[in-house]
Amino acid sequence: MAQPARPRVAAARLEREILVLVSSGRARSRKEIAESLGIAPSTVSQRVQAMLAAGVLEETGEGASSGGRRPRALRVPGSTGYLGVVDLGGAHARLGILPHGGELTTTTEVALAIGDGPGPVLTRVTAALRELAAAQPDGGRLLGVGICLPGPVDVARRALDSPSRMPGWSGFDVGSWLEDALGVPAVVENDANAMAVGEHFGHARRTRHSVSVKAGTAIGAGILVDDRLYRGAGGAAGDITHTRIPAGGDTPCTCGNRGCLETVASGAALVRLLREQGYDVAATADVLALVRDAEPVATTLTRTAGRHLGAALCTVVNFFNPGAVYLGGALSTLEPFVSAIRSQIYEGAHPLMTRDLVIAPSGLGPDANLVGVGRLLEDTLVPHALATHASPTPSTASEGPR
């Protein structure tokens, strides 16, 4: 029996990789595609030429030159339209609009209470998203919507899986609800994973392996390996917040366990510790205000929280050996917190792991989650483009994507 043609399979995979890069704006030329995928420029040129002939890609204008003739820019035909992106928090949602294949252009925030449940919250969010899209110069035709949520997400079911502090959300099909409401494809992701994708591709100094930590009311982390989001066997990779540490003692955690990292290193932990000392604080924002005002007790507690998180990250750095650790979330805006994390990692991790390690605060700030979920949405829209334009050109490529 004849064996299937492996080169044709490799070519199909490579075409998908190329389409993802071009449609998301990560690469606009053959050279950028080759650099992103780590494969021979001749292989990329061959596949791009086949995709141009099939109408999967088109050339338009001129791209940026690094010397010599300016390259022609690549784009996905028929990609005019917008993506709606949402970062849902406990008391507000941050919304954004970005052109398909472009950069985030418009953002806004709306107040809400996540405890009201998925129906009321998503109704509020979609209404605000429609208004934001309609305000675009050409009417803002939405091609897709992406939302990131503050809890463990089952990506296949597009639902939260036993989240803390979110009554009524567990198992709710957020993706189908959004698709029914807006009539476009939807992506649902955990907020730390979305932030990790945004930060990983948003820094000028690129690394193929990174860990991004979101330290706010709770703590989450996302991991990228070879430029790909790593989810783990059960989709919960990066959940360091519920790692038990000695400093946590017997303190109850929202997960039902005791002594988790969240109980000593999160914004919620700092609120609790300050209230125990008589301070009138109710939310992480109150802690931020005290530390920025150089209040000594709040500053000391924040520095200690950073040391606890840094100690936990030493294990991550030693095990994973990332090229960068990016720090996001509200607490990462506090210098004592970030400095304590840095010093703890450099002191506790092996020198081989820290020799070239970048430890940096978020480069995108509050937009990191929106940018990240936008990129994930672009990746999801790729099969629609492939279904519209089927490449009939037989493949001779022998080199697939890394």
Side-chain angles (χ1 to χ4, degrees):
M1 180 181 295
Q3 295 296 315
R6 294 180 60 117
R8 188 181 297 275
V9 175
R13 289 180 57 224
L14 180 53
E15 287 190 5
R16 179 183 172 87
E17 294 278 352
I18 292 172
L19 203 55
V20 166
L21 289 170
V22 174
S23 67
S24 66
R26 286 178 239 171
R28 293 299 194 198
S29 68
R30 293 164 176 80
K31 179 183 177 183
E32 290 175 350
I33 292 170
E35 290 174 348
S36 295
L37 297 179
I39 62 178
S42 59
T43 303
V44 170
S45 183
Q46 181 184 46
R47 293 319 315 156
V48 167
Q49 199 59 42
M51 295 169 76
L52 288 168
V56 179
L57 291 178
E58 65 182 19
E59 288 182 308
T60 176
E62 291 184 333
S65 173
S66 58
R69 189 177 63 181
R70 293 169 64 87
R72 296 274 289 171
L74 298 169
R75 69 187 294 272
V76 178
S79 62
T80 56
Y82 295 88
L83 309 183
V85 287
V86 181
D87 176 20
L88 189 60
H92 75 282
R94 187 170 179 83
L95 292 80
I97 294 290
L98 61 159
H100 188 25
E103 302 297 326
L104 187 68
T105 56
T106 308
T107 61
T108 190
E109 293 192 2
V110 296
L112 49 77
I114 203 166
D116 289 345
V121 169
L122 294 177
T123 298
R124 176 83 175 91
V125 164
T126 51
L129 203 57
R130 286 193 190 95
E131 292 178 9
L132 203 61
Q136 302 306 306
D138 55 1
R141 180 175 67 95
L142 282 179
L143 301 175
V145 59
I147 186 170
C148 56
L149 304 170
V153 171
D154 183 327
V155 175
R157 293 192 300 130
R158 298 185 300 179
L160 283 158
D161 189 356
S162 304
S164 302
R165 298 184 290 268
M166 295 180 68
W169 285 85
S170 185
F172 184 86
D173 190 343
V174 176
S176 293
W177 196 102
L178 290 172
E179 287 179 345
D180 291 342
L182 295 170
V184 294
V187 165
V188 181
E189 185 55 84
N190 165 262
D191 59 353
N193 280 345
M195 186 198 78
V197 172
E199 290 295 338
H200 182 86
F201 293 104
H203 285 258
R205 181 180 174 183
R206 285 290 307 283
T207 176
R208 297 185 68 87
H209 315 283
S210 71
V211 174
S212 295
V213 180
K214 184 176 183 182
T217 301
I219 300 170
I223 303 168
L224 273 91
V225 180
D226 273 334
D227 290 335
R228 297 174 184 271
L229 184 61
Y230 178 74
R231 301 184 187 280
D239 188 12
I240 63 171
T241 191
H242 298 301
T243 302
R244 293 198 68 179
I245 65 170
D250 202 39
T251 306
C253 181
T254 56
C255 72
N257 210 333
R258 292 178 178 271
C260 296
L261 179 65
E262 180 179 305
T263 66
V264 293
S266 66
L270 289 171
V271 169
R272 187 193 77 247
L273 292 169
L274 284 167
R275 288 180 68 85
E276 288 173 357
Q277 298 202 35
Y279 286 79
D280 183 19
V281 292
T284 303
D286 300 325
V287 178
L288 302 182
L290 288 174
V291 175
R292 287 168 182 157
D293 200 31
E295 203 289 323
V297 173
T299 301
T300 298
L301 289 173
T302 298
R303 188 175 289 113
T304 302
R307 283 201 293 268
H308 292 320
L309 179 53
L313 287 174
C314 281
T315 302
V316 175
V317 168
N318 278 334
F319 181 80
F320 175 46
N321 191 80
V325 175
Y326 300 125
L327 304 173
L331 294 182
S332 73
T333 64
L334 301 176
E335 189 276 334
F337 185 77
V338 172
S339 294
I341 292 173
R342 276 204 186 98
S343 63
Q344 199 71 27
I345 292 176
Y346 286 129
E347 178 183 336
H350 193 282
L352 286 176
M353 307 299 174
T354 59
R355 182 174 57 195
D356 299 314
L357 179 67
V358 174
I359 305 174
S362 169
L364 297 174
D367 290 338
N369 295 16
L370 298 180
V371 171
V373 79
R375 289 192 182 277
L376 293 171
L377 179 57
E378 293 273 15
D379 294 354
T380 298
L381 294 176
V382 165
H384 295 272
L386 287 173
T388 303
H389 302 277
S391 175
T393 307
S395 168
T396 57
S398 60
E399 194 173 354
R402 289 179 61 183

